[in-house]
Amino acid sequence: MRNRYQGKDYLAFKDMTREEIEFITDLSLDFKKKWYAREPHEYFKGQVWAALFEKNSTRTRNAFERAAADLGIKVVYLRPDEMQMTRGEPLKDTARILDRYFDGLFIRTFGHEIVEECSAWMESPVINGLTALEHPTQGIADLMTIKEKKGDFKGLKICYSGNLYNVCYTTMIFCATLGMNLSIACPEGLEPDSEILAETKRRAAVSGAKIELTQDFDEALKDADIVYGMSQYSMGQSEEEIEYLKSAFKPYQITLEAMKKAKPDAIFMHCLPAHRGEEVTDEVMECTQSVIFDEGENRMHSIKGILAAVAK
Ligand code: CP
């Protein structure tokens, strides 16, 4: 598909313009229409992409594989533990070799500098399937879901409860870019990444979005159009850290009572997997306001949109 994003990497919302975010969201919504109309869209037949996952995944990996299949792209799944990179081969060598074999790389890894290094050494596009800094394929699925359920972005309010890592950072950037207000309910002492915070402030000054961190959960929930739940901790944290975060986040659990403090037509979103009984109750996950499975389905349509935008 010829467009101005062709051949570009897809690494983080912090690097994307408002126009890029909106273009890929709308493209993903178009692919969803094609899916339901059973309209074939094997536009990239003959391409072969590598998928490298250094962390577990249910949604991202399977959404990517299905999206690629529908676009006619073959995927080779790479297990890091079977590659020389886990025996010390430099990433810059691995990246240049993969670049010779594949039309693109979809990667889930740890530090954001890893995807940036792949991008620096590869000519073919690199898509970030989650790093410590951002989860930009999740971000497009979330925007699709918000547009489907609420019609538009500007002026909406999101109440976010959960860890201050990648999903939170992507949400901060898209809210600041698109003019959505974001109230992050979290215990005292937690601070977002300084680069993300600075970029969020810069964008919010342009869009007029109000982005705040508050310890007052009721205030965060007040007038919220969307209540967004997220795990209180992250993959790979120590038992000690997890226990601390679980205890500190206890007052911010999303219950049916909490949902009543948001707008009556508020929706509940969660990127999943959820820890029922921790950041959210089972009742909220299953309630009529919950749109988590539409959001999860949108992971597939959104990855299709992202692939179609950047594939050469
Ligand atoms: N939301 C998300 O990234 O899910 P997975 O970890 O299952 O891919």
Side-chain angles (χ1 to χ4, degrees):
M1 288 178 90
R2 291 237 157 261
N3 69 77
R4 69 167 73 173
Y5 312 110
Q6 209 171 11
K8 283 179 87 171
D9 296 314
Y10 184 85
L11 303 188
F13 272 38
K14 73 176 175 58
D15 307 325
M16 289 161 67
T17 62
R18 178 187 186 127
E19 188 196 22
E20 284 171 322
I21 294 170
E22 289 184 331
F23 171 79
I24 295 174
T25 303
D26 289 341
L27 185 61
S28 304
L29 286 163
D30 283 347
F31 273 114
K32 187 167 184 176
K33 281 192 198 131
K34 289 187 204 301
W35 164 276
Y36 278 103
R38 296 180 177 274
E39 191 183 313
H41 40 275
E42 290 185 309
Y43 304 142
F44 300 95
K45 220 169 178 161
Q47 289 209 11
V48 184
W49 279 58
L52 180 60
F53 279 72
E54 297 197 86
K55 287 180 165 184
N56 291 0
S57 170
T58 295
R59 280 143 289 272
T60 312
R61 178 181 169 188
N62 292 300
F64 172 65
E65 295 222 19
R66 180 61 205 247
D70 287 355
L71 291 172
I73 298 173
K74 185 174 160 46
V75 173
V76 175
Y77 184 72
L78 308 176
R79 287 189 48 175
D81 60 315
E82 290 178 350
M83 292 170 64
Q84 302 292 11
M85 58 188 287
T86 45
R87 294 176 63 235
E89 183 166 23
L91 184 60
K92 62 182 178 183
D93 293 355
T94 306
R96 277 177 288 184
I97 287 298
L98 296 180
D99 198 36
R100 300 287 176 113
Y101 304 153
F102 297 110
D103 297 294
L105 172 67
F106 190 99
I107 177 169
R108 166 170 285 198
T109 186
F110 296 89
H112 196 70
E113 68 284 356
I114 298 172
V115 294
E116 287 183 333
E117 192 174 346
C118 290
S119 154
W121 291 105
M122 295 181 72
E123 289 294 321
S124 24
V126 176
I127 297 178
N128 172 11
L130 180 130
T131 62
L133 194 69
E134 280 216 38
H135 197 356
T137 61
Q138 180 71 49
I140 297 292
D142 290 347
L143 289 173
M144 285 177 71
T145 311
I146 293 168
K147 198 160 184 178
E148 286 174 330
K149 306 295 177 189
K150 295 290 172 190
D152 204 355
F153 304 121
K154 196 154 178 71
L156 292 176
K157 177 181 176 183
I158 301 183
C159 164
Y160 175 100
S161 170
N163 74 49
L164 267 63
Y165 305 126
N166 38 34
V167 171
C168 182
Y169 298 158
T170 295
T171 306
M172 284 168 68
I173 298 284
F174 76 57
C175 284
T177 310
L178 299 171
M180 274 186 274
N181 301 318
L182 174 66
S183 199
I184 301 167
C186 67
E188 197 179 3
L190 296 190
E191 290 288 337
D193 175 88
S194 56
E195 184 195 356
I196 294 288
L197 189 59
E199 184 60 20
T200 298
K201 282 185 181 165
R202 195 185 64 73
R203 291 176 185 232
V206 176
S207 72
K210 191 175 159 214
I211 314 286
E212 63 171 11
L213 259 73
T214 176
Q215 290 163 250
D216 187 339
F217 196 21
D218 286 357
E219 197 50 42
L221 287 161
K222 193 174 165 211
D223 296 327
D225 300 280
I226 297 142
V227 180
Y228 197 112
M230 179 65 196
S231 170
Q232 297 162 341
Y233 44 90
S234 181
M235 286 186 264
Q237 288 190 292
S238 70
E239 279 304 313
E240 209 175 24
E241 283 174 308
I242 291 172
E243 281 317 308
Y244 164 73
L245 289 168
K246 277 164 77 169
S247 150
F249 271 110
K250 219 172 187 137
Y252 304 100
Q253 186 187 55
I254 302 166
T255 59
L256 286 178
E257 277 311 300
M259 286 299 296
K260 283 189 196 136
K261 293 175 183 166
K263 281 189 180 166
D265 64 349
I267 55 172
F268 171 71
M269 295 176 66
H270 194 303
C271 84
L272 303 179
H275 302 88
R276 294 174 189 233
E278 292 182 6
E279 74 272 15
V280 60
T281 61
D282 190 55
E283 290 80 10
V284 171
M285 292 285 283
E286 302 294 341
C287 77
T288 53
Q289 289 163 278
S290 171
V291 298
I292 54 174
F293 294 108
D294 293 333
E295 183 185 3
E297 176 188 325
N298 284 340
R299 297 301 311 283
M300 175 181 61
H301 306 298
S302 59
I303 289 177
K304 205 177 280 180
I306 294 160
L307 265 171
V310 303
K312 286 200 263 189

